[in-house]
Amino acid sequence: MTDPRYTPLAQSLPATVPFVGPETQERQRGRPFSARLGANENVFGPSPRAIAAMQAATADIWMYGDPENHDLRAALALAHGTTPQNIVVGEGIDGLLGYLVRLLVGPGDTVVTSKGAYPTFNYHVSGFGGTLHEVPYVDDREDPASLFAKAAAVNAKLVYIANPDNPMGTWHKGAEIVAAMDALPDGCLLVLDEAYVECAPQGTAAPVDADDPRVIRMRTFSKVYGMAGARVGYGIAAPGLISAFNKVRNHFGMNRAAQAGALAALRDDDWLAHVRKEIAAARDRIARIARDNGLTPLPSATNFVAIDCGQDARFARAVLNQLIDRGLFVRMPFAAPQDRCIRISCGTASDLDALAKALPSALATARG
Amino acid sequence: MTDPRYTPLAQSLPATVPFVGPETQERQRGRPFSARLGANENVFGPSPRAIAAMQAATADIWMYGDPENHDLRAALALAHGTTPQNIVVGEGIDGLLGYLVRLLVGPGDTVVTSKGAYPTFNYHVSGFGGTLHEVPYVDDREDPASLFAKAAAVNAKLVYIANPDNPMGTWHKGAEIVAAMDALPDGCLLVLDEAYVECAPQGTAAPVDADDPRVIRMRTFSKVYGMAGARVGYGIAAPGLISAFNKVRNHFGMNRAAQAGALAALRDDDWLAHVRKEIAAARDRIARIARDNGLTPLPSATNFVAIDCGQDARFARAVLNQLIDRGLFVRMPFAAPQDRCIRISCGTASDLDALAKALPSALATARG
């Protein structure tokens, strides 16, 4: 009686998780967090219309969701001025990144990303046997020119850019990304993760032709739309690539209520404007709290703020742990030199009161 | 400017879907179905407590779900008399089958299933480059002895059995499956799909030791629990295999409301008993309608009935199309000789009134 015969690749992988969830930490701590500011969730929540749509759809949850995501793709196509054939809907950007990597990357294939960028993308690349090449941030921003040069040098099949960036919150103008794409090597696909773009300044979304075969843009309902727990992401790309997802995706994988919620959320521009305002105000307050404590907030186009703690990773880690001890769920960048920072998601006024209260003593203890 | 460089495997795959959804057919027809009897959904729906839990959780949908599925796994472990380390929760059995195949099957690896069994399993095997070997049904039942003998002959890494079976509705006693496993070749994992087992006769669930490394059992909230649109499935297996899923799964892939709904559904035994009764009554009525029309219903341990139309696939297909024309969404087996049947899911009294009304003229037209 022996164990299952895993593939050599599966055998080589660690059983890991890109992020430890706050619930896991709460179970380890033995008590809940008082403020949830670590996962870039949107505490301002989804449109009331989206909530109502999801609750109404619960009565129909005995039915599988539409595997074509027809209505949502039609609405997204309209919103983006393109066709449903340019849109793939999936179980969050995480799910779509997994499918995308699977379509392109096998053992020995090369992929380029920034050192310290989104670990779940790296998880998928490793998971399909790809080799990651990492390019450093420049001034805490991803560096498209260097990323594309590295992609050319290593013959990468895929290069990843998040704009705005996570975990730093920095950004490029969309037109700059498009201009930089002139140097994207032939046969290398750019995956442009725009998860946070709805709360970024005008002009951050890359003005890409949806039929451009060089790029797929990833969007989500998890951030500004406030539906992280629903799992709805989408990709915008040329029809050939969109159609390729049908070779590998979990066709009946979408939650039916989530489909309905996303559709309703997309139609509530007023709520989106409200959330944008709340996010902007919370960003300002986080920055103010940082400065009040002698720290340096980075400019942010996202729903979080990276705070430079002014010393090394060890110190930032100490500050982080002190905040966690004080009941605040927060995270920090994984790689140097960005790991001199901690990362605070936008919270309610009461969440940020708790941050303002905890930070001085957290810093004092970390220094002491 | 060239297309993305897909892997050779991805390039070789068709863009396909294991099942065409009813919504797609409705869009093609230009009008909705009046009875949804094709996807083995459970029209009797989830526990009212599960609906309430999902609706309540919608208010928290701005948060990601717990990636460890801690509470649900704990409750499932309790229900099955095992430990959470024996349980993996995923985006339906479909999602879990994908992860499982990915862990075990690469190009050239062999897998055994029954000819005409669950196509989504086959989709995953092909999708990871595996080679399928198919064993015929015997008397419209899957044949464990032949499946395991074939697995030995072709050195299979994985063998699939659904008990009760879909699309035929037939079943084996669980103890017979376990006894047959004596002939399961060393190093071949049995994936025992028990999606329908909660409405099968006592003794159908295989009395497997959860730590037995030879088998993983798949269960779901999509069928008797009435939550197909929520996407919650789970696997029960030895801790080593369960832990391997953490190498490849979409850790944050579960819908938060679905997690809450499944937990509440699991705790409502009364509702489960109610649904079992409704399913049994609907099965009897479908069988009666079949016999009233001179057709032969197969015995069923599921929430559907396969009806032998008494002629060949062409005739069964004609009957099916006539029912579809009359507004009934129904399906039929894919492979001979099971494709002499049509497959009718349990419906409400009104759904089955529609079937009783439509079948005589559908048959007449198919014969004519």
Side-chain angles (χ1 to χ4, degrees), chain A residues 235-257:
Chain A
I236 313 170
L241 177 54
I242 294 301
S243 162
F245 279 86
N246 286 329
K247 300 177 169 194
V248 299
R249 71 187 179 92
N250 186 2
H251 288 266
F252 287 85
M254 291 298 295
N255 181 289
R256 186 178 181 96

Side-chain angles (χ1 to χ4, degrees), chain B residues 81-318:
Chain B
T82 183
T83 77
Q85 288 70 43
N86 292 98
I87 311 272
V88 59
V89 169
E91 307 89 341
I93 291 180
D94 284 1
L96 290 169
L97 287 175
Y99 297 136
L100 179 68
V101 171
R102 178 174 164 196
L103 285 170
L104 294 177
V105 178
D109 287 332
T110 50
V111 176
V112 170
T113 186
S114 298
K115 183 162 188 278
Y118 194 48
T120 306
F121 176 71
N122 302 354
Y123 168 78
H124 290 307
V125 172
S126 307
F128 288 102
T131 302
L132 268 173
H133 294 268
E134 298 182 318
V135 168
Y137 282 69
V138 173
D139 294 335
D140 296 319
R141 300 204 307 169
E142 294 203 80
D143 180 8
S146 299
L147 286 161
F148 298 160
K150 175 63 86 174
V154 302
N155 187 26
K157 281 179 145 183
L158 203 52
V159 56
Y160 176 91
I161 294 179
N163 190 53
D165 176 61
N166 174 23
M168 302 312 287
T170 51
W171 71 102
H172 296 273
K173 285 183 183 156
E176 291 168 2
I177 301 274
V178 171
M181 281 172 57
D182 286 346
L184 187 66
D186 201 42
C188 177
L189 182 75
L190 169 61
V191 48
L192 182 58
D193 185 341
E194 297 186 327
Y196 297 94
V197 80
E198 293 92 353
C199 63
Q202 274 288 335
T204 306
V208 170
D209 181 338
D211 287 331
D212 190 328
R214 299 174 300 168
V215 55
I216 181 167
R217 284 169 289 163
M218 296 292 188
R219 299 287 187 95
T220 183
F221 287 86
S222 297
K223 302 300 177 185
V224 184
Y225 286 101
M227 291 171 51
R231 315 315 299 127
V232 187
Y234 62 102
I236 314 171
L241 177 53
I242 293 301
S243 160
F245 279 86
N246 285 330
K247 299 176 170 195
V248 299
R249 72 187 179 91
N250 185 2
H251 288 266
F252 288 84
M254 291 297 296
N255 180 288
R256 185 179 181 95
Q259 290 174 323
L263 193 57
L266 195 64
R267 288 173 175 160
D268 194 347
D269 287 336
D270 291 348
W271 184 259
L272 203 66
H274 157 75
V275 168
R276 278 198 193 102
K277 246 185 241 174
E278 294 278 5
I279 287 173
R283 274 193 311 233
D284 288 348
R285 173 124 195 254
I286 295 168
R288 217 156 48 233
I289 292 168
R291 280 189 297 261
D292 287 349
N293 285 275
L295 308 181
T296 309
L298 272 65
S300 168
T302 63
N303 73 337
F304 60 86
V305 178
I307 297 177
D308 185 342
C309 293
Q311 300 188 33
D312 59 3
R314 198 186 155 120
F315 179 68
R317 169 76 54 197

Side-chain angles (χ1 to χ4, degrees), chain A residues 148-207:
Chain A
F148 297 160
K150 173 64 85 172
V154 302
N155 187 26
K157 281 178 147 184
L158 203 53
V159 56
Y160 177 91
I161 294 179
N163 189 53
D165 176 62
N166 174 22
M168 302 313 287
T170 52
W171 71 102
H172 296 273
K173 284 184 184 157
E176 290 168 3
I177 301 274
V178 172
M181 280 171 58
D182 286 347
L184 187 66
D186 201 42
C188 177
L189 182 75
L190 169 61
V191 49
L192 183 58
D193 184 341
E194 297 186 326
Y196 297 93
V197 81
E198 294 92 351
C199 63
Q202 274 288 337
T204 306

